[in-house]
Amino acid sequence: MDHKEIAKLITLLENEPDRARDILKKLPKRICPVIGFTGSPGVGKSTLIDQVIARLRSAGKTVAVVAVDPSSPFSQGAFLGDRVRMKKHFLDEGVFIRSMASRGALGGLNESIYDVVELLEAVGFDYVLIETVGVGQAEVEVRYVADVVALVLSPGFGDEMQLLKAGVMEIADIYVVNKSDLEGNDSLYDQLIGFLTFAGRDALNVVKTSALNGSGIEELVDRIITLWKNFAETEKLKQLRKERLRHHTETLARRTLQKYLSAVDSEDPYEGVELALKFMCERLKYGQGGGT
Amino acid sequence: MKKYRILIAKPGLDGHDRGAKVVAHALRDAGFEVIYTGLRQTPEQIVKTAIQEDVDLIGLSILSGAHLQLSKKVIELMKKEGIANIPVFVGGIIPPDDVPRLLEIGVTRVFGPGTPLSKIVQEVREVLEGVTSTSGS
């Protein structure tokens, strides 16, 4: 499938999720490493991904990137600027980059991400990289979509109090201390190692990088690949994919129910849900609501 | 639900993208999803981006004086890639005498200095609504 066809299908998955089932059914089921990059705005996620793409390409691997930026809660418009950092790959036929707006999803991604990743795996890319919106502390959905999650941090992140907080800090398989060319990087790196050690977690998966000058990228990519291979050799990958399926199902269920909820007019929220479910069951019984 | 995607691109060598950013911002506030390429893009890079991002409209911001050559090249490549149905808007320092030539090349709208943002947004809407009624997606 060429880039144009893939791009058109992504648009369909995003705009007409009801058709996702038919589109994906026609494609073979295929798995490849799906790697998530998350972290606060401005820590260098896009620039880091740019370097990771270069590294994977030099090993002859093809790469698809989905980069999500936020939609406006007021206009629903969006400014999608992640690919600006990935310019040197625009003409490479082995690289496909797609910007995506979050469209109201709160987890740092976009509701159609599950379908889009399935599509990108099916059409044969060797790696799928996902960049979340710049997140704060609680946007953890990437954990359910990606097999390996890299949390990107940079100096100025805060002190150890931030490392102790629940949420985003907990979901990472790999911690990337980016901007190692800047001052303050060593102290963040040391704090992180110290924190992971006393938390009883694997302090090995902390990597110091500079997306600017490329240092540490080779090590980062090696760690990612090793980790994924480990997952694939054990039961871990199966578990992760099962979890992804469950969250995909939940997203579909929510969307389906929402459709019926919007048709319900009730003063009582509990009754509203009951009415929506009843309405949905009736429709399904007559075979009109089969999709989502 | 259909959401329109617009590519704002800076072809050529001029390094001034304030105008492109102001227009991108206005389109964002008008509810469009705007993809920005960044500075100094070749026509090839712009067309590849338009394909991967499956955009509904391309806006070229050109302040270098090379608008005729650059627009022509972009549109030629779009034809080659089979995406010539996507409307192309050009904005920037465009001498009025060049406007008919740009339209002849295949540019849909040309906006010179001082064009109100509201006019750009309105014409984007008009053109996009026209486009969807013929192509369907």
Side-chain angles (χ1 to χ4, degrees):
Chain A
M1 203 178 283
D2 67 19
H3 284 180
K4 195 164 141 193
E5 290 171 278
I6 297 169
K8 294 266 173 213
L9 285 180
I10 293 176
T11 304
L12 271 181
L13 293 175
E14 259 200 296
N15 291 342
E16 299 175 50
D18 289 357
R19 294 173 62 183
R21 191 183 192 174
D22 289 332
I23 293 168
L24 295 172
K25 216 161 53 185
K26 290 192 193 106
L27 299 169
K29 282 260 179 244
R30 181 181 165 275
I31 279 185
C32 76
V34 179
I35 316 297
F37 292 82
T38 191
S40 305
V43 292
K45 293 184 292 299
S46 308
T47 316
L48 192 74
I49 288 178
D50 174 61
Q51 294 275 13
V52 170
I53 300 171
R55 180 84 203 137
L56 291 170
R57 288 300 291 147
S58 69
K61 305 294 182 191
T62 58
V63 186
V65 181
V66 184
V68 188
D69 269 328
S71 294
S72 162
F74 305 111
S75 72
Q76 276 73 55
F79 181 85
L80 311 175
D82 290 328
R83 68 182 297 137
V84 172
R85 314 285 172 206
M86 307 173 195
K87 278 178 198 169
K88 62 173 175 279
H89 306 292
F90 285 4
L91 294 182
D92 184 345
E93 286 296 327
V95 179
F96 179 90
I97 303 167
R98 179 65 173 235
S99 316
M100 203 178 246
S102 63
R103 298 196 180 177
L106 296 175
L109 295 168
N110 162 311
E111 275 196 1
S112 63
I113 193 77
Y114 295 96
D115 295 322
V116 171
V117 168
E118 208 172 308
L119 168 75
L120 294 171
E121 290 192 279
V123 297
F125 286 101
D126 295 324
Y127 286 86
V128 174
L129 311 182
I130 303 170
E131 177 178 348
T132 71
V133 304
V135 303
Q137 297 174 323
E139 298 89 337
V140 296
E141 187 146 24
V142 67
R143 173 68 282 166
Y144 312 124
V145 187
D147 304 322
V148 174
V149 175
L151 175 66
V152 188
L153 304 164
S154 71
F157 166 75
D159 63 8
E160 235 172 349
M161 288 305 104
Q162 299 305 327
L163 303 179
L164 284 162
K165 289 184 183 174
V168 168
M169 275 305 297
E170 294 176 284
I171 63 165
D173 300 298
I174 294 179
Y175 295 84
V176 185
V177 182
N178 194 30
K179 305 196 186 181
S180 65
D181 47 288
L182 292 184
E183 214 175 305
N185 189 285
D186 286 340
S187 85
L188 175 60
Y189 180 80
D190 293 341
Q191 277 176 0
L192 196 54
I193 298 272
F195 162 74
L196 290 171
T197 308
F198 84 64
R201 298 186 53 191
D202 191 356
L204 277 176
N205 283 325
V206 183
V207 187
K208 218 191 271 191
T209 60
S210 165
L212 193 68
N213 64 31
S215 74
I217 301 298
E218 192 177 335
E219 188 190 349
L220 172 64
V221 173
D222 286 350
R223 295 265 171 108
I224 289 172
I225 293 173
T226 308
L227 208 54
W228 194 85
K229 280 188 179 148
N230 274 342
F231 290 172
E233 281 160 12
T234 60
E235 285 294 292
K236 175 84 174 173
L237 186 66
K238 243 182 229 158
Q239 277 170 26
L240 286 165
R241 293 297 170 126
K242 225 172 164 176
E243 188 78 347
R244 177 169 127 188
L245 184 79
R246 194 168 68 81
H247 281 270
H248 189 176
T249 312
E250 274 176 22
T251 306
L252 287 178
R254 214 177 306 126
R255 193 161 63 211
T256 309
L257 186 59
Q258 251 156 17
K259 226 166 56 180
Y260 292 97
L261 273 173
S262 60
V264 166
D265 183 24
S266 169
E267 300 272 309
D268 177 354
Y270 299 94
E271 188 197 56
V273 174
E274 274 170 21
L275 285 173
L277 284 170
K278 211 174 120 197
F279 186 33
M280 185 169 79
C281 292
E282 274 165 22
R283 287 288 293 270
L284 290 174
K285 207 156 58 187
Y286 295 110
Q288 298 166 2
T292 45
Chain B
M1 189 188 62
K2 174 73 189 172
K3 201 103 190 68
Y4 289 110
R5 294 163 65 83
I6 298 173
L7 181 68
I8 296 293
K10 281 288 306 176
L13 292 175
D14 86 74
H16 305 280
D17 65 348
R18 177 62 62 90
K21 285 172 181 159
V22 168
V23 170
H25 187 261
L27 291 169
R28 186 204 83 176
D29 283 351
F32 296 104
E33 291 181 355
V34 183
I35 295 117
Y36 181 51
T37 60
L39 287 169
R40 299 186 192 94
Q41 295 295 290
T42 63
E44 286 83 0
Q45 288 174 313
I46 291 168
V47 171
K48 287 280 181 229
T49 298
I51 290 170
Q52 294 184 359
E53 299 287 356
D54 191 22
V55 295
D56 302 289
L57 190 141
I58 299 172
L60 303 176
S61 166
I62 309 170
L63 289 79
S64 63
H67 43 272
L68 289 171
Q69 295 88 328
L70 289 168
S71 307
K72 197 168 164 221
K73 191 78 207 282
V74 169
I75 287 170
E76 271 171 20
L77 286 169
M78 288 171 70
K79 282 181 184 150
K80 209 174 111 196
E81 297 281 358
I83 58 163
N85 59 318
I86 302 173
V88 176
F89 284 23
V90 172
I93 313 290
I94 316 292
D97 287 355
D98 285 345
V99 174
R101 292 167 71 186
L102 282 169
L103 297 175
E104 207 176 296
I105 288 168
V107 171
T108 309
R109 293 280 191 284
V110 182
F111 301 112
T115 308
L117 288 169
S118 57
K119 181 176 155 74
I120 297 175
V121 169
Q122 189 197 334
E123 301 220 1
V124 164
R125 284 223 168 91
E126 277 174 23
V127 167
L128 284 179
E129 273 152 26
V131 166
T132 47
S133 64
T134 53
S135 80
S137 63

